[in-house]
Amino acid sequence: MPEIDNEIEFERYELRSGPAYRFTPDRRDFFKLVGGGIILFLALAPESEAQEGGRRGGGGRGEPLPQNLGAWLHIGEDGAITVYTGKVEVGQNSRTSLTQAAAEELHTGPESIHLVMGDTDLVPWDAGTFGSQTTPRMAPQIHKVAAAGREMLLDLATEKWHADRSALVCENGRVRNTASGQVVTFGELTKGQKLTRTIAPDTPVIPASQWKIGDTNVEKVGARDIVTGKHRYAYDVARPGMLHGRIVRPPAFHAKLASVDTKTAEQMPGITVVHDGDFIGVASADPQKLSAAADAIKAQWKTEQQPSARELFSYLKSHPAEANRGAGAETSASAIDEAIRNSDGKAEATYTIAYIAHTPLEPRAAVAEWNNGKLTVWTGSQCPFRIRDELVEAFGLSRDRVRVLIPDTGSAYGGKHNGEAAIEAARLAKAAGKPVKINWTREEEMTWAYFRPAGVIEVRSGARKDGAITAWDFHNYNSGPSGLKSSYHIPNERAEFHATQSPLRQGSYRGLAATANHFARESHMDELAHAVGMEPLAFRLNNTTDALLRRVYETASERFGWSKAKTRPGQGYGIAGGFEKGGYFACCVEIAVPPSGAPVKIERVVEAFDCGPVINPEHLKNQVEGSIIQGLGGALFEAIDFDNGRILNPKLSKYRVPRFSDVPPHIESILIDPKDVPSAGAGETPIMGIAPAIANAVFDAAGKRIRSMPLKV
């Protein structure tokens, strides 16, 4: 039985003993969900599989959170409040939400809090910013840290004044004695000293129902600098005497260097050439010279025959990974087969998922600087401590000789777990004896970064005439196990993930494999509903025993007007929903299918989302609506084309992403805001409903069932 933690998902960790999975429930009782039926999970993972965690966490299982207050919080003599966290800002607005958490407990304004993020020399160890875990894991920690700080300040003031502690309150950077009117600033109490108090596990925090700063639309920290261009990202970092670098890359994946002639490049003025094994790079103070220097290097590469996009799905089915040892207990399989045979309605279908690119606004970037044997790197990443450990391993250094700083990063979407650019910059900087900056081009980003895993998903199912699902047999090949388990009540269910060999490098993408699994599951729910003659929403509610899932379905469908009659030809409605990473969603879509063969037009999207207590409503809506718009790309047109180890569309001129013209005229997000449960993350789950909802709407409008992502309508 896998480890149990606090999240329903499979996360892959690269442990020292090899790959492993953990399965972890949150917000609902897993054993209640699966009790009384037959369920089989298979999740065996070699290096070539979907890498749900992107080899997270660097050094094995990681490090325990420090319990000393000074590791997290510092109050200067001038009253400046600094909070430290290993989480990073990649556009999800965690800098603001974590600032709100600290301000809430210290009873001060968010503008009084300075958040230091992702600096490995200053902040506590953290596995990384992924899996929608910042809000459910780090926000409670910051609440507890700031609450412990508040209690310490009250204790110090009590000692200073010999006062009745119950008469003291923290407010706006001061402690005030409500009985005497005395006031003392936080800085006067701490005198700028390191805070040595231990954070008690039972430190009282303010419940969500009493938040005054949480659940408010606090302005994004640094918003003005961001919109005016003053804010600096990894791409903008500059160091004194810095050179610019470029890597000479092979023509295809898995190519090996056969020979290289660097003499011409080495003779070019102001050019440093680095050749180490298969690594070849050039550096110069003048970035305009890099292309000529790289072109002057004559490299011969040995390549091998590789699959193409045309044969992708047959390749995935026919190339299991070595660690994939089969489907498990035959008794479960036979029980499911019998249940399907005895069903009144049956459905069987195969769904396919293409590789897609992350296409972050900011491609990978890094600046590396060596100083007296210590390496400092500035880079855009989700995992500062993992990058540190990759650099430690690459250069044979001790951890205290490597510092990684993560400036706010121009988006990541799960695509920036690894430290390729950091290592490249550090290799060039070591050879050149000067700081070196590597800024990947868009073409490099869309070729050498990893992709969202492709997949093949096969589903068989059965249901009674009354609409009750009797059996569900779900097989995912390659794309991953996240979101594998159905949220519906199914007495006989088998859900298997089959690791396969992947032709392309693949890893985490926003939502992990849950996007693929929800696409197949929610498309198939409509197919099974059609097989028993039941309306799609009614069919879902008929098989829903989870009250929270029912609530988002009812909320979204009511606001959408699901039961309203259609008024024109080609109009279609689609619905999809589910649960992932602590959040519940239901997405309703209205489309128009023109008779002329023109592209499908998305007219309306209404999505209800429940991720527990809302910290910042406006920014949460941005997350939901941003997920919907990004999800349009994977739903309708994004797909990596490749042949024999080469990416054929590594440019935005050839790779279609959502444009302003693709944005539906009406997008509405409805936030369910319960106060009696912990907050969950919101960066990933809302993306999962748009593709199956569109596919179901196409069938509703045109009677055409499309089982691929992108839909190719």
Side-chain angles (χ1 to χ4, degrees), residues 135-147:
T135 295
R137 295 193 180 184
M138 186 51 62
Q141 176 66 16
I142 297 300
H143 271 280
K144 186 181 292 186
V145 165

Side-chain angles (χ1 to χ4, degrees), residues 103-179:
E104 187 78 60
E105 300 294 343
L106 287 168
H107 300 306
T108 190
E111 68 281 356
S112 302
I113 307 294
H114 173 61
L115 202 65
V116 174
M117 308 181 78
D119 182 337
T120 60
D121 269 13
L122 299 180
V123 305
W125 182 91
D126 189 271
T129 302
F130 51 73
S132 293
Q133 288 302 291
T134 296
T135 295
R137 295 193 180 184
M138 186 51 62
Q141 176 66 16
I142 297 300
H143 271 280
K144 186 181 292 186
V145 165
R150 179 190 68 227
E151 296 303 305
M152 179 202 68
L153 291 164
L154 293 172
D155 288 344
L156 291 173
T158 300
E159 294 172 10
K160 179 180 178 66
W161 293 326
H162 303 288
D164 177 4
R165 193 179 187 281
S166 64
L168 306 185
V169 294
C170 289
E171 56 182 21
N172 299 322
R174 307 178 304 169
V175 176
R176 181 169 61 89
N177 188 328
T178 59

Side-chain angles (χ1 to χ4, degrees), residues 490-505:
I490 302 172
N492 300 292
E493 178 177 5
R494 179 169 61 166
E496 294 182 2
F497 165 60
H498 304 271
T500 73
Q501 299 176 37
S502 172
L504 301 184
R505 187 184 180 207

Side-chain angles (χ1 to χ4, degrees), residues 196 225 279 307 315 340 393 462 531 663 712:
T196 58
D225 287 348
F279 179 84
Y315 181 92
I340 290 176
E393 183 177 354
V663 177
K712 300 176 184 176

Side-chain angles (χ1 to χ4, degrees), residues 248 257 260 262 266 273-281 301 394-395 423 427-428 430-431:
V248 177
L257 186 63
V260 62
T262 62
E266 289 170 345
V273 177
V274 180
H275 173 213
D276 180 13
D278 284 356
F279 179 84
I280 310 169
W301 302 86
F395 296 99
I423 293 173
R427 293 178 82 169
L428 292 177
K430 189 172 186 180

